[in-house]
Amino acid sequence: MNQVLAVTVFVGAFWFIATERADKVKVVLVAAGLMTVLGLVPGEEVFYNPHVGIDWNVIFLLLGMMIIVGVVKHTGLFDFLAIWAAKRSRGSPFRLMVMLMIITAVASPLLDNVTIIMLVAPVTIVVCGRLGFAAQPFLIAEVLAANIGGAATLVGDPPNIIIGSRAGLSFNDFLLHMAPAVAVIFALFVLFTRWLFRKHLRERSEHIETVAALQERRAITDPRLLTRAMLVLAGVVVGFGLHSLLHVAPSIIALLGAGAMVLISRLDIGDILREVEWGTLVFFMGLFVMVAGLVHTGVIDLLGDAAVAAFGDNPLLASAVLVFGSAVVAAFIDNIPYTTTMAPVVEGLVEQTPDPGQGRALWWAFAFGADFSGNGTAVAASANVVALDIARRAGHRITFWQFTRYGVVVTALSCVLAWIYVAVRYF
């Protein structure tokens, strides 16, 4: 009975989010409350257990990076980068989209896809405004690129951190096994965007001459603060890369960086906190509790046990299920809680695989599916939710289906290519 109730609450909430009949923050708060009141989640553990409650590491990572981006925004750096990119695009929308996607995809494996979206999305909105382009297609393309590029390393996408911790995989392991496929898939994705966004890439900008006359250096309003902020940001990036060696969670590094930014900026704390996407943070809190209801009532375990029973003795088939099954399921429940709950199931599959090499391949299949699922829907990954909220606050609203109709296609193609890679390389 509890399992039916949990699924009913979850599906009902997702229906309201997908159809946009109500604000998504209100929906998840009501759904989380129902999960708790109906006894579908252990109320005493909701705030303390990341497996059956809120994952505060994710929440504080987002909060720290939002504060960092808020301080950087006051330096004029985003306007500087917008003018620089606009000039080099020469008024071509496709050239601009490719530039932004490459910047995003190259930076995502080093920072993480959520952080890079926080940094690049404001630039994109400004540059599109300068050139007279609709910002929505460019933002969607960037998020898709970030979710693909972030899959290349241990720190590029939150699911990889979870998988690496559970499976004992290092930064170099991900670089060796994930990065080659990600590079090929991203290159093909860039070519594919010419067709995917073709309706938005036909007309050149009529404002390129006006933009070309601008001097980007004048956009920097506080050079001293910019220098200090870049040093702090560099320290945060290094910290992200070394967090496994330092045994410090990325969320702590982000919060330390945020504290340093506040100290060096001398800006009013109220102005800084107004840059935080509080609605996004609350949305994730509610979503974590919703997913916890599925975990606590055993719905996720049922799915996992069925997978082990059906595919445990066939590693190649299991790898296909992990890629495509993860892409479908995680697209609806966010890939962070999904990865957390399914990692023990995959560990069981790996232990039942006689060949250690093929067993480890199941981890890579799982990583590809979980990472690329992030492009499946507008709420499938943290980067998506953050980008849509930034767009909404800037007056460039992206609807659930406007994002999803592009994301589904990219997810399907990415997963097909990823599974071919896994099958050819490991089986």
Side-chain angles (χ1 to χ4, degrees), residues 39-65:
L40 304 177
V41 294
E44 70 277 6
E45 295 185 24
V46 164
F47 294 106
Y48 305 106
N49 190 333
H51 298 291
V52 287
I54 299 170
D55 189 339
W56 293 107
N57 284 319
V58 174
I59 300 300
F60 285 118
L61 172 64
L62 292 173
L63 174 61
M65 293 311 301

Side-chain angles (χ1 to χ4, degrees), residues 75 217 220-229:
T75 67
R217 290 188 177 182
I220 301 298
T221 57
D222 194 334
R224 291 184 63 187
L225 177 58
L226 176 61
T227 302
R228 295 172 181 174

Side-chain angles (χ1 to χ4, degrees), residues 182 365 373:
V182 168
S373 73

Side-chain angles (χ1 to χ4, degrees), residues 93 96-97 100 124-125 127-140 197 199-201 203 395-398 402:
L96 177 63
M97 182 174 284
L100 294 172
T124 303
I125 291 170
V127 70
C128 287
R130 295 277 190 180
L131 293 174
F133 295 146
Q136 290 89 335
F138 295 88
L139 290 169
I140 293 171
F197 296 99
K199 293 181 181 179
H200 305 281
L201 302 176
E203 298 182 4
H396 300 276
R397 183 170 175 267
I398 300 173
Q402 187 179 1

Side-chain angles (χ1 to χ4, degrees), residues 76-86 100 119 123 127 216 219-220:
L77 176 63
F78 295 145
D79 285 325
F80 171 88
L81 293 174
I83 296 171
W84 179 87
L100 294 172
L119 294 170
V123 175
V127 70
E216 54 263 47
I220 301 298

Side-chain angles (χ1 to χ4, degrees), residues 152-227:
T153 68
L154 175 68
V155 298
D157 207 356
N160 287 0
I161 298 175
I162 298 168
I163 292 170
S165 176
R166 188 85 190 194
L169 300 170
S170 68
F171 187 94
N172 290 336
D173 288 329
F174 276 87
L175 205 60
L176 180 62
H177 293 274
M178 296 285 287
V182 168
V184 173
I185 292 170
F186 174 71
L188 294 175
F189 165 68
V190 171
L191 297 176
F192 183 58
T193 54
R194 184 77 180 196
W195 176 85
L196 189 65
F197 296 99
R198 61 192 181 281
K199 293 181 181 179
H200 305 281
L201 302 176
R202 292 173 179 170
E203 298 182 4
R204 297 178 65 86
S205 172
E206 298 177 354
H207 307 283
I208 187 60
E209 292 183 1
T210 302
V211 173
L214 297 174
Q215 296 183 25
E216 54 263 47
R217 290 188 177 182
R218 291 186 177 180
I220 301 298
T221 57
D222 194 334
R224 291 184 63 187
L225 177 58
L226 176 61
T227 302

Side-chain angles (χ1 to χ4, degrees), residues 97-122:
M97 182 174 284
V98 171
M99 286 174 59
L100 294 172
M101 287 191 299
I102 290 176
I103 291 171
T104 304
V106 170
S108 289
L110 301 175
L111 289 169
D112 72 68
N113 51 15
V114 178
T115 301
I116 194 60
I117 286 298
M118 289 183 188
L119 294 170
V120 176

